[in-house]
Amino acid sequence: MVAFGKKLKERQIQEWQGFYLNYKLMKKRVKQYAQQMEVGTQDRRHVLKDFSRMLDNQIEKTVLFILEQQGQLASRLTNLREQHDALEETPEISQITELREAYRAVGLDLLKLLYFVEMNAIGLRKILKKFDKRFRYRFTDYYVKTRANHPYSQLQQVFKHVGLGAVVGAISRNLHELQDRQGSYLSIYDPPALPLQDPVVDSIKAAVDRLSHSTNFLNFLAQHALIMQEELPAPTDERIDDERYHFMSLLLNLANTFLYMVNTYIIVPTADDYSMSLGAAATVCGIVIGAMAVAQVFSSVYFSAWSNRSYFRPLVFSSIVLFVGNAMYALAYDMNSLTVLILGRLFCGLGSARAVNRRYISDCVPLKIRMQASAGFVSASALGMACGPALAGILQTNFKIYKLTFNANTLPGWVMAVAWLVYLVWLWISFKEPSRDIEEPPASSSETLENGALEEGKQPLLITSEEKQEDDEDPEGDGSEEAPEESRQPATSIVSAYRLLTPSVKVQLLIYFMLKYAMEILLSESSVITTYYFTWSTSTVSIFLACLGLTVLPVNIVVGSYISNMFEDRQILLASEIMVCIGILLSFHMIIPYTIPQYVCSGLIMFVSAEVLEGVNLSLLSRVMSSRLSRGTYNGGLLSTEAGTIARVIADATITLAGYLGESRLLNITLLPSFLICVASIVATCFTYNSLY
């Protein structure tokens, strides 16, 4: 692995070398500015003005070259169009073939130009970030806002790339027309669009997708998953991705995610009744629900390590363990054993294969559809979260077969056991283990978590693995050379991974811990609280929890498509934290009688705000995470999972311990830690970002 400056030089197209942004020169200039300001020979105002002029000149050079290349491509397409029109009068197979190859040649040159634009976008984003980091000044915000929205904006030309889009359309349309359609007169613009099987066009579309992520909603959903994405794959890497990809295997991973979330929440409405039927207090439901999270703390690690060698075997093991765990959960009623009940939930937690599901999407899904797959992962989780309580509300019956009891308490276990058994059969028949005989080159082993696009009110440029590598290699921004090779290896343990966390990353993990703790308190004690204050039935609790789960996707649509374009992520982050805090405060039972509107409204505010906070928090976390935590067993996804899981364990334990003080005090006692942690996270957020900016 090499620093970004060296990688940029290696990947430059030699004949275009003089038209790239001079990243090395700008990096040296930033270092010079810092030295001059330290000795007092330069003031900040002059530095900002001089660096802005330098950036303008560099961008102008690049943009004019891009326009020149676009003109050449347009001229070649015009000539080919004339040949195409001539062929319509006297079509000949040989000439049609030659014309198609000529269009493909233009497509390959366009692909070179797209890579050229991409490398310059990365370089510009990197140097802006380096300047901000070095001088503790939000120069990027100033520069982008003043340039991007100007009527003569050159940034718009690069990052909106309207001209390039027209060239892509011309090539695609003409190749589509030249393809044998057996008499069809449909074009690419006529619905339904006919697929064009051409590798050149596929490569162009993939490159355009990397440049412009217009699907903000999918991007926002994918950030929830914290799934790694490669930024600059070589064409061979894209081919390898296609060879490893198997749609049914991806569907099985998403089904595993869905079933596991159903399994997690299907017992929440009835856990208190089940505990009481076995002679325990209603608040023991905290231990019953939390036992699954306790086991998941450990299962996440070994599943993450196991996925380095296989995907099929961990999923098989997960299905078997979950089948056994749910059967034990259901049999505990007839055995009259609280121990068996808790052990059953522990077994379910040991079958948590979410680390495998994430890893499969990251490693085996082609880049061009990885964003959709990541969004599918989050959507499956949200749907499972809603379906679990809803299913529990339906399973309100009571009968016996031989000595086995089937009632509202045991049916969730039996239903999930059957579901995992069916899934295991489907998995065994349909899953295809991807090949692992292809060794990735070191230069492409670092992965990114997020891409950016030029959207009004948002950070406009690409954030890449190279950028994170250089931040690790040159943490002080002093232009020093590469760090030793061993300092860029993936973390080998939880301890070494923790040592790589910067203060800002620790704050993001604290926020993630807080929101998971608050959500777990709300969900896990809902049955006990609503029964005590409102005498709700199991069906009513199930409907309430299902409605909360159903808010996840609509909220993400609003935030991902609208709010994230209007405000900075840091602003949304702080506002969401404050709203979670308000929701917690409104949930407290003070002097006045506790009412259903108070509980429902405060719970809705808390839950929705926490969902918004989760997406924005993971988005920011992806930007500040070290590149060494973007791969290997002990990666950023595992750390965030562990933080959230530990929060759930502590929350469930809090419910059980607070139960010893009586159900009348349960609500306020469990909300107090949520409130204190939320306040601490707000203070940490303000302190961290004020110190950085």
Side-chain angles (χ1 to χ4, degrees), residues 144-165:
V144 170
K145 287 178 182 178
T146 55
R147 268 66 173 175
N149 297 320
H150 195 277
Y152 306 129
S153 169
Q154 292 172 331
L155 280 178
Q156 288 277 4
Q157 177 63 39
V158 176
F159 297 106
K160 286 292 186 181
H161 51 84
V162 177
L164 290 176

PDB file of all heavy atoms in Angstrom, residues 144-165:
ATOM      1  N   VAL A 144     -16.618  25.417  -1.420  1.00  0.00           N
ATOM      2  CA  VAL A 144     -17.662  24.731  -2.176  1.00  0.00           C
ATOM      3  C   VAL A 144     -18.899  25.612  -2.347  1.00  0.00           C
ATOM      4  O   VAL A 144     -19.469  25.702  -3.437  1.00  0.00           O
ATOM      5  CB  VAL A 144     -18.029  23.405  -1.474  1.00  0.00           C
ATOM      6  CG1 VAL A 144     -19.268  22.792  -2.100  1.00  0.00           C
ATOM      7  CG2 VAL A 144     -16.868  22.432  -1.557  1.00  0.00           C
ATOM      8  N   LYS A 145     -19.312  26.272  -1.269  1.00  0.00           N
ATOM      9  CA  LYS A 145     -20.521  27.098  -1.358  1.00  0.00           C
ATOM     10  C   LYS A 145     -20.341  28.271  -2.311  1.00  0.00           C
ATOM     11  O   LYS A 145     -21.276  28.655  -3.023  1.00  0.00           O
ATOM     12  CB  LYS A 145     -20.897  27.605   0.036  1.00  0.00           C
ATOM     13  CG  LYS A 145     -21.480  26.520   0.931  1.00  0.00           C
ATOM     14  CD  LYS A 145     -21.792  27.055   2.319  1.00  0.00           C
ATOM     15  CE  LYS A 145     -22.338  25.954   3.218  1.00  0.00           C
ATOM     16  NZ  LYS A 145     -22.605  26.438   4.599  1.00  0.00           N
ATOM     17  N   THR A 146     -19.155  28.852  -2.337  1.00  0.00           N
ATOM     18  CA  THR A 146     -18.929  30.002  -3.218  1.00  0.00           C
ATOM     19  C   THR A 146     -18.722  29.592  -4.663  1.00  0.00           C
ATOM     20  O   THR A 146     -18.992  30.381  -5.575  1.00  0.00           O
ATOM     21  CB  THR A 146     -17.709  30.815  -2.748  1.00  0.00           C
ATOM     22  OG1 THR A 146     -16.563  29.944  -2.657  1.00  0.00           O
ATOM     23  CG2 THR A 146     -17.969  31.438  -1.392  1.00  0.00           C
ATOM     24  N   ARG A 147     -18.243  28.368  -4.906  1.00  0.00           N
ATOM     25  CA  ARG A 147     -17.954  27.927  -6.283  1.00  0.00           C
ATOM     26  C   ARG A 147     -19.070  27.077  -6.886  1.00  0.00           C
ATOM     27  O   ARG A 147     -19.411  27.246  -8.055  1.00  0.00           O
ATOM     28  CB  ARG A 147     -16.658  27.115  -6.314  1.00  0.00           C
ATOM     29  CG  ARG A 147     -15.403  27.929  -6.587  1.00  0.00           C
ATOM     30  CD  ARG A 147     -15.079  28.895  -5.490  1.00  0.00           C
ATOM     31  NE  ARG A 147     -13.786  29.559  -5.690  1.00  0.00           N
ATOM     32  CZ  ARG A 147     -13.334  30.519  -4.915  1.00  0.00           C
ATOM     33  NH1 ARG A 147     -14.053  30.952  -3.883  1.00  0.00           N
ATOM     34  NH2 ARG A 147     -12.159  31.071  -5.148  1.00  0.00           N
ATOM     35  N   ALA A 148     -19.633  26.171  -6.086  1.00  0.00           N
ATOM     36  CA  ALA A 148     -20.556  25.193  -6.656  1.00  0.00           C
ATOM     37  C   ALA A 148     -21.837  25.835  -7.184  1.00  0.00           C
ATOM     38  O   ALA A 148     -22.388  25.398  -8.197  1.00  0.00           O
ATOM     39  CB  ALA A 148     -20.897  24.131  -5.612  1.00  0.00           C
ATOM     40  N   ASN A 149     -22.354  26.860  -6.507  1.00  0.00           N
ATOM     41  CA  ASN A 149     -23.625  27.458  -6.900  1.00  0.00           C
ATOM     42  C   ASN A 149     -23.477  28.690  -7.790  1.00  0.00           C
ATOM     43  O   ASN A 149     -24.462  29.349  -8.099  1.00  0.00           O
ATOM     44  CB  ASN A 149     -24.423  27.825  -5.639  1.00  0.00           C
ATOM     45  CG  ASN A 149     -24.776  26.605  -4.817  1.00  0.00           C
ATOM     46  OD1 ASN A 149     -25.122  25.569  -5.365  1.00  0.00           O
ATOM     47  ND2 ASN A 149     -24.686  26.726  -3.503  1.00  0.00           N
ATOM     48  N   HIS A 150     -22.264  29.008  -8.160  1.00  0.00           N
ATOM     49  CA  HIS A 150     -22.042  30.171  -9.026  1.00  0.00           C
ATOM     50  C   HIS A 150     -22.460  29.830 -10.456  1.00  0.00           C
ATOM     51  O   HIS A 150     -22.277  28.702 -10.915  1.00  0.00           O
ATOM     52  CB  HIS A 150     -20.557  30.566  -8.987  1.00  0.00           C
ATOM     53  CG  HIS A 150     -20.285  31.923  -9.534  1.00  0.00           C
ATOM     54  ND1 HIS A 150     -20.138  32.154 -10.888  1.00  0.00           N
ATOM     55  CD2 HIS A 150     -20.154  33.127  -8.918  1.00  0.00           C
ATOM     56  CE1 HIS A 150     -19.904  33.441 -11.082  1.00  0.00           C
ATOM     57  NE2 HIS A 150     -19.906  34.058  -9.900  1.00  0.00           N
ATOM     58  N   PRO A 151     -23.057  30.782 -11.197  1.00  0.00           N
ATOM     59  CA  PRO A 151     -23.497  30.471 -12.570  1.00  0.00           C
ATOM     60  C   PRO A 151     -22.370  30.037 -13.494  1.00  0.00           C
ATOM     61  O   PRO A 151     -22.608  29.359 -14.497  1.00  0.00           O
ATOM     62  CB  PRO A 151     -24.128  31.796 -13.042  1.00  0.00           C
ATOM     63  CG  PRO A 151     -23.637  32.845 -12.093  1.00  0.00           C
ATOM     64  CD  PRO A 151     -23.426  32.150 -10.798  1.00  0.00           C
ATOM     65  N   TYR A 152     -21.123  30.434 -13.196  1.00  0.00           N
ATOM     66  CA  TYR A 152     -19.988  30.032 -14.024  1.00  0.00           C
ATOM     67  C   TYR A 152     -19.157  28.962 -13.319  1.00  0.00           C
ATOM     68  O   TYR A 152     -17.942  28.877 -13.505  1.00  0.00           O
ATOM     69  CB  TYR A 152     -19.117  31.250 -14.348  1.00  0.00           C
ATOM     70  CG  TYR A 152     -19.878  32.385 -14.976  1.00  0.00           C
ATOM     71  CD1 TYR A 152     -19.789  33.676 -14.462  1.00  0.00           C
ATOM     72  CD2 TYR A 152     -20.698  32.167 -16.081  1.00  0.00           C
ATOM     73  CE1 TYR A 152     -20.501  34.724 -15.031  1.00  0.00           C
ATOM     74  CE2 TYR A 152     -21.416  33.206 -16.656  1.00  0.00           C
ATOM     75  CZ  TYR A 152     -21.318  34.473 -16.129  1.00  0.00           C
ATOM     76  OH  TYR A 152     -22.029  35.497 -16.698  1.00  0.00           O
ATOM     77  N   SER A 153     -19.825  28.159 -12.530  1.00  0.00           N
ATOM     78  CA  SER A 153     -19.129  27.178 -11.700  1.00  0.00           C
ATOM     79  C   SER A 153     -18.402  26.133 -12.540  1.00  0.00           C
ATOM     80  O   SER A 153     -18.976  25.517 -13.439  1.00  0.00           O
ATOM     81  CB  SER A 153     -20.127  26.468 -10.781  1.00  0.00           C
ATOM     82  OG  SER A 153     -19.526  25.365 -10.159  1.00  0.00           O
ATOM     83  N   GLN A 154     -17.125  25.960 -12.236  1.00  0.00           N
ATOM     84  CA  GLN A 154     -16.368  24.879 -12.866  1.00  0.00           C
ATOM     85  C   GLN A 154     -16.486  23.590 -12.062  1.00  0.00           C
ATOM     86  O   GLN A 154     -16.321  22.505 -12.607  1.00  0.00           O
ATOM     87  CB  GLN A 154     -14.904  25.300 -13.011  1.00  0.00           C
ATOM     88  CG  GLN A 154     -14.730  26.427 -14.019  1.00  0.00           C
ATOM     89  CD  GLN A 154     -13.314  26.981 -14.041  1.00  0.00           C
ATOM     90  OE1 GLN A 154     -12.623  26.958 -13.037  1.00  0.00           O
ATOM     91  NE2 GLN A 154     -12.904  27.495 -15.186  1.00  0.00           N
ATOM     92  N   LEU A 155     -16.774  23.711 -10.772  1.00  0.00           N
ATOM     93  CA  LEU A 155     -17.032  22.514  -9.973  1.00  0.00           C
ATOM     94  C   LEU A 155     -18.262  21.779 -10.492  1.00  0.00           C
ATOM     95  O   LEU A 155     -18.291  20.551 -10.540  1.00  0.00           O
ATOM     96  CB  LEU A 155     -17.241  22.883  -8.499  1.00  0.00           C
ATOM     97  CG  LEU A 155     -15.998  23.153  -7.658  1.00  0.00           C
ATOM     98  CD1 LEU A 155     -16.400  23.536  -6.252  1.00  0.00           C
ATOM     99  CD2 LEU A 155     -15.087  21.940  -7.628  1.00  0.00           C
ATOM    100  N   GLN A 156     -19.295  22.532 -10.873  1.00  0.00           N
ATOM    101  CA  GLN A 156     -20.487  21.897 -11.423  1.00  0.00           C
ATOM    102  C   GLN A 156     -20.147  21.101 -12.685  1.00  0.00           C
ATOM    103  O   GLN A 156     -20.656  20.016 -12.900  1.00  0.00           O
ATOM    104  CB  GLN A 156     -21.537  22.969 -11.761  1.00  0.00           C
ATOM    105  CG  GLN A 156     -22.191  23.606 -10.558  1.00  0.00           C
ATOM    106  CD  GLN A 156     -23.333  22.772 -10.014  1.00  0.00           C
ATOM    107  OE1 GLN A 156     -23.578  21.670 -10.498  1.00  0.00           O
ATOM    108  NE2 GLN A 156     -24.024  23.273  -9.009  1.00  0.00           N
ATOM    109  N   GLN A 157     -19.272  21.657 -13.502  1.00  0.00           N
ATOM    110  CA  GLN A 157     -18.896  20.980 -14.743  1.00  0.00           C
ATOM    111  C   GLN A 157     -18.242  19.634 -14.451  1.00  0.00           C
ATOM    112  O   GLN A 157     -18.473  18.643 -15.140  1.00  0.00           O
ATOM    113  CB  GLN A 157     -17.931  21.860 -15.546  1.00  0.00           C
ATOM    114  CG  GLN A 157     -17.412  21.212 -16.822  1.00  0.00           C
ATOM    115  CD  GLN A 157     -18.524  20.928 -17.809  1.00  0.00           C
ATOM    116  OE1 GLN A 157     -19.442  21.716 -17.959  1.00  0.00           O
ATOM    117  NE2 GLN A 157     -18.435  19.793 -18.485  1.00  0.00           N
ATOM    118  N   VAL A 158     -17.420  19.602 -13.404  1.00  0.00           N
ATOM    119  CA  VAL A 158     -16.724  18.358 -13.079  1.00  0.00           C
ATOM    120  C   VAL A 158     -17.652  17.363 -12.421  1.00  0.00           C
ATOM    121  O   VAL A 158     -17.754  16.206 -12.826  1.00  0.00           O
ATOM    122  CB  VAL A 158     -15.515  18.632 -12.155  1.00  0.00           C
ATOM    123  CG1 VAL A 158     -14.849  17.326 -11.739  1.00  0.00           C
ATOM    124  CG2 VAL A 158     -14.516  19.529 -12.850  1.00  0.00           C
ATOM    125  N   PHE A 159     -18.385  17.800 -11.398  1.00  0.00           N
ATOM    126  CA  PHE A 159     -19.076  16.835 -10.562  1.00  0.00           C
ATOM    127  C   PHE A 159     -20.525  16.597 -10.952  1.00  0.00           C
ATOM    128  O   PHE A 159     -21.126  15.630 -10.514  1.00  0.00           O
ATOM    129  CB  PHE A 159     -18.974  17.263  -9.093  1.00  0.00           C
ATOM    130  CG  PHE A 159     -17.548  17.268  -8.625  1.00  0.00           C
ATOM    131  CD1 PHE A 159     -16.865  18.450  -8.438  1.00  0.00           C
ATOM    132  CD2 PHE A 159     -16.878  16.082  -8.409  1.00  0.00           C
ATOM    133  CE1 PHE A 159     -15.544  18.453  -8.033  1.00  0.00           C
ATOM    134  CE2 PHE A 159     -15.560  16.076  -8.008  1.00  0.00           C
ATOM    135  CZ  PHE A 159     -14.894  17.264  -7.813  1.00  0.00           C
ATOM    136  N   LYS A 160     -21.107  17.477 -11.732  1.00  0.00           N
ATOM    137  CA  LYS A 160     -22.398  17.158 -12.325  1.00  0.00           C
ATOM    138  C   LYS A 160     -22.214  16.454 -13.662  1.00  0.00           C
ATOM    139  O   LYS A 160     -23.056  15.698 -14.105  1.00  0.00           O
ATOM    140  CB  LYS A 160     -23.221  18.435 -12.528  1.00  0.00           C
ATOM    141  CG  LYS A 160     -23.790  19.014 -11.239  1.00  0.00           C
ATOM    142  CD  LYS A 160     -24.855  18.121 -10.639  1.00  0.00           C
ATOM    143  CE  LYS A 160     -25.516  18.774  -9.431  1.00  0.00           C
ATOM    144  NZ  LYS A 160     -26.531  17.904  -8.822  1.00  0.00           N
ATOM    145  N   HIS A 161     -21.102  16.725 -14.326  1.00  0.00           N
ATOM    146  CA  HIS A 161     -20.687  16.112 -15.600  1.00  0.00           C
ATOM    147  C   HIS A 161     -21.858  15.869 -16.552  1.00  0.00           C
ATOM    148  O   HIS A 161     -22.081  14.767 -17.047  1.00  0.00           O
ATOM    149  CB  HIS A 161     -19.891  14.822 -15.357  1.00  0.00           C
ATOM    150  CG  HIS A 161     -20.539  13.832 -14.435  1.00  0.00           C
ATOM    151  ND1 HIS A 161     -21.463  12.928 -14.853  1.00  0.00           N
ATOM    152  CD2 HIS A 161     -20.363  13.600 -13.116  1.00  0.00           C
ATOM    153  CE1 HIS A 161     -21.848  12.173 -13.855  1.00  0.00           C
ATOM    154  NE2 HIS A 161     -21.193  12.574 -12.786  1.00  0.00           N
ATOM    155  N   VAL A 162     -22.617  16.953 -16.833  1.00  0.00           N
ATOM    156  CA  VAL A 162     -23.753  16.849 -17.745  1.00  0.00           C
ATOM    157  C   VAL A 162     -23.290  16.447 -19.137  1.00  0.00           C
ATOM    158  O   VAL A 162     -23.892  15.606 -19.803  1.00  0.00           O
ATOM    159  CB  VAL A 162     -24.521  18.187 -17.792  1.00  0.00           C
ATOM    160  CG1 VAL A 162     -25.667  18.112 -18.789  1.00  0.00           C
ATOM    161  CG2 VAL A 162     -25.041  18.538 -16.402  1.00  0.00           C
ATOM    162  N   GLY A 163     -22.202  17.063 -19.604  1.00  0.00           N
ATOM    163  CA  GLY A 163     -21.698  16.741 -20.935  1.00  0.00           C
ATOM    164  C   GLY A 163     -21.316  15.279 -21.064  1.00  0.00           C
ATOM    165  O   GLY A 163     -21.611  14.628 -22.072  1.00  0.00           O
ATOM    166  N   LEU A 164     -20.660  14.739 -20.039  1.00  0.00           N
ATOM    167  CA  LEU A 164     -20.279  13.328 -20.068  1.00  0.00           C
ATOM    168  C   LEU A 164     -21.513  12.435 -20.091  1.00  0.00           C
ATOM    169  O   LEU A 164     -21.524  11.391 -20.750  1.00  0.00           O
ATOM    170  CB  LEU A 164     -19.412  12.998 -18.855  1.00  0.00           C
ATOM    171  CG  LEU A 164     -18.007  13.601 -18.843  1.00  0.00           C
ATOM    172  CD1 LEU A 164     -17.291  13.272 -17.545  1.00  0.00           C
ATOM    173  CD2 LEU A 164     -17.196  13.107 -20.027  1.00  0.00           C
ATOM    174  N   GLY A 165     -22.564  12.856 -19.377  1.00  0.00           N
ATOM    175  CA  GLY A 165     -23.799  12.069 -19.387  1.00  0.00           C
ATOM    176  C   GLY A 165     -24.398  11.978 -20.776  1.00  0.00           C
ATOM    177  O   GLY A 165     -24.920  10.933 -21.178  1.00  0.00           O
TER     178      GLY A 165
END
